[in-house]
Each structure stands twice: as structure tokens, then as C-alpha cells.
Amino acid sequence: MAPSQLPPKAGARVKPDRREARQLAGLLRSGDLTPLSVRGVEEEAIRDVVRAREDALKDLKAAKVRLKAFLLRQAMRYAGRATWGPAPLRGLAAGGGPPPAPQRVFQEYVRAVSEQTERLRRLEAALPALVQSWCWRPVGEALQAWRGGQFLAAVPLIAALGDLTRVANPRQLMSSWGLVPREHARGERRRQGSLPKPGNSHARRVLVEGAWAYRYPAKVSRHRQLRLEKVPQASQDLSWKAQVRLCKRSRRLVARGKPVNQVVVAIARAMAAFVWAIARELKGGH
């Protein structure tokens, strides 16, 4: 059960084991406890690699911010078009660099960016071999056929959520991912607020990032066509159906004057329903 979802009791300051056990038994009998899925050893291994990749991304971003701040203080600018990569670093080094004292700091910052980039590359290279024997590999391959669902987006999504069919309907899935806005209703008055953002933040971020791709008209690019050839026909049909519907809905919401961030969250919420449908279909076929 999820400890964070236990119903609170106002004024309860004394909680011995006997009283707490009675409370948990009563909540279990009334159905007020939220169940959790227990992961296997293989699923936890893939999940740990995904978490390590997320940490590497954060560390790489922080290293780049520090290097940019240092270059800004030293009035060093790269005249090329690329932001990061070997070319900008070679250009900064060829420009003479800062004075001797800050030169050591400059080299350390550059080295930190290079080390974090190599660390991220190693973790991303280890994922395909682990996914080959994964029980949820068919679901991950089906999601790669989606718009905005590349390998590095589909695998973290499934690794973070596990068995999507454990919930009875997609509305429960949307609520558990924090994609349903807060609501306060009294009588005929109904007011919605911001997202509560419970559940897994990695899965919510992947869905929101993928939802930005549906701002453009529906189409099948060359890269997506190559991915579509590796999935069943039923998954291809569902992917195209989702793309047509979500692109149309995105344009309709924008035409109504909705803010772009609200439109993206609405599309991400609809994507969660399609992801649940794909997982249920593939699990039923298996």
C-alpha cells in the first residue's frame, strides 16, 4: 500500500502499534487504501539504469550552466552556431582563453562537461541490451511508433510505471500521474486550479515533452516509418488514430484561445489514455 495515500485523522497524536494496526485493518476493509505494484528484480534493474540516466542528465545540465556562467564573467563568447559539442570547445580554446589563474577553472569546467557527457553516453548505450529480455519490451516498442515516443522516451515511461493495466480505467491512470487539475466545486460553481503533480514525476515529464510534438499536422516521417515497420499492425493503426485525434484537438484548443501550456497538458492527459489502451491490448494478446 502507498503510505502517502493513507487517509489522515485530525488530532491523532498517539499512534502505538496496536492502534495503528486496527486503523490499517479498518481502512483495508473499507477499501480506502491505495495498492502499489511490486516490481521484479529485472524491472528494478532497468528502472535503476533509467534513474541513473536522469541523474546524469541533471548533472550535465548543471555542469553546462556553470561553464556558461564562467564564460559570461570572462567575456568569452563562441562565434559559431553550435551551442555544445567539440567545435565550440575548440573555438573557445583557440581564442586564447582567460588569464593563467582562471585558466585552471576553465579547464576544470570543460572537463566536467566532457565527463558528464561520456557518463550519459555509457548509460544510454547500456539500455538496449537490458530491454531485449524485458517483459514489457513489446509495449515499449509499440510506444516508439508514436509521435514523440522515441526509445529514450518510451523505455523510461514504461520503466517508471510498470504494469499499466493494474488500473481499471485510464482516468485513474491520469489522476495517479498528476495530469488532472485541482478542482473546487460548490453548488453550480466549479473552479479548476493547477496540477497537483502526485505520482511519478519522470513519467509525467516524458508525456508532457511528447505532447509538444502534436502541435503540428499529422504525418509520418521517415524515421517514424522505420519504427512503424517493427510493431504489429494493430499498434500502427492505434498510433495513427491517436496522432490524428490529438493533432486535431491541439489545434482546436489553441483556436479557442487556451494557453499553450494548458493545451500541452490536455494532450498529455489524452496520451495517457492511449498508452493504457496499448498496454492492455498487448497484454491481452500475450
Side-chain angles (χ1 to χ4, degrees):
M1 299 300 173
S4 61
Q5 300 296 327
L6 292 177
K9 188 176 182 180
R13 296 295 182 269
V14 180
K15 294 179 61 179
D17 292 342
R18 182 183 298 273
R19 183 180 299 182
E20 191 170 12
R22 290 177 179 175
Q23 179 186 2
L24 290 175
L27 294 174
L28 179 62
R29 182 176 58 184
S30 62
D32 292 332
L33 295 180
T34 302
L36 294 176
S37 61
V38 180
R39 311 295 180 88
V41 177
E42 183 185 15
E43 291 187 66
E44 282 295 336
I46 297 179
R47 197 178 184 186
D48 287 338
V49 176
V50 170
R51 288 173 175 172
R53 178 181 173 271
E54 294 283 344
D55 295 337
L57 280 173
K58 293 179 181 179
D59 295 340
L60 177 59
K61 182 179 179 181
K64 290 180 177 180
V65 169
R66 297 188 189 102
L67 178 57
K68 279 190 172 182
F70 174 79
L71 296 177
L72 182 63
R73 293 194 302 268
Q74 300 295 328
M76 297 174 60
R77 294 177 177 84
Y78 174 63
R81 299 179 60 182
T83 303
W84 291 106
L89 297 180
R90 287 196 302 266
L92 291 173
Q103 177 67 26
R104 178 65 179 273
V105 179
F106 172 71
Q107 296 297 334
E108 291 293 338
Y109 281 147
V110 171
R111 184 179 179 84
V113 172
S114 302
E115 289 177 351
Q116 296 302 328
T117 303
E118 184 61 28
R119 173 190 169 195
L120 180 62
R121 187 180 297 110
R122 290 195 304 266
L123 291 171
E124 291 179 352
L127 271 178
L130 295 174
V131 172
Q132 292 300 322
S133 59
W134 193 22
C135 60
W136 295 107
R137 182 173 61 89
V139 180
E141 292 179 349
L143 292 181
Q144 292 180 47
W146 281 48
R147 196 171 186 173
Q150 292 82 0
F151 176 80
L152 293 177
V155 173
L157 180 64
I158 302 302
L161 302 174
D163 186 6
L164 301 178
T165 60
R166 66 182 184 273
V167 297
N169 55 71
R171 292 185 180 274
Q172 297 180 6
L173 202 61
M174 301 173 191
S175 178
S176 63
W177 289 354
L179 294 173
V180 178
R182 294 184 176 91
E183 181 177 346
H184 180 77
R186 177 168 295 180
E188 298 181 355
R189 184 178 180 182
R190 178 172 175 266
R191 182 174 59 185
Q192 289 184 323
S194 60
L195 296 180
K197 298 182 180 179
N200 194 291
S201 60
H202 300 309
R204 183 170 55 252
R205 179 185 58 79
V206 170
L207 284 175
V208 172
E209 288 181 355
W212 284 94
Y214 293 92
R215 296 176 297 163
Y216 308 101
K219 69 174 183 178
V220 178
S221 62
R222 177 178 177 274
H223 299 286
R224 287 194 60 249
Q225 184 61 39
L226 295 176
R227 297 199 302 266
L228 284 172
E229 296 174 357
K230 302 177 182 179
V231 300
Q233 185 62 38
S235 299
Q236 297 183 27
D237 297 339
L238 188 58
S239 172
W240 177 250
K241 177 181 177 182
Q243 183 177 177
V244 172
R245 180 180 298 182
L246 295 180
C247 291
K248 181 179 179 181
R249 184 178 182 184
S250 177
R251 293 195 302 270
R252 184 170 63 249
L253 291 175
V254 171
R256 288 170 53 186
K258 293 291 184 179
V260 62
N261 290 335
Q262 293 184 11
V263 174
V264 170
V265 172
I267 299 302
R269 187 162 53 245
M271 287 176 62
F274 279 102
V275 171
W276 178 84
I278 286 181
R280 185 181 61 172
E281 177 185 352
L282 294 179
K283 185 177 181 180
H286 181 72

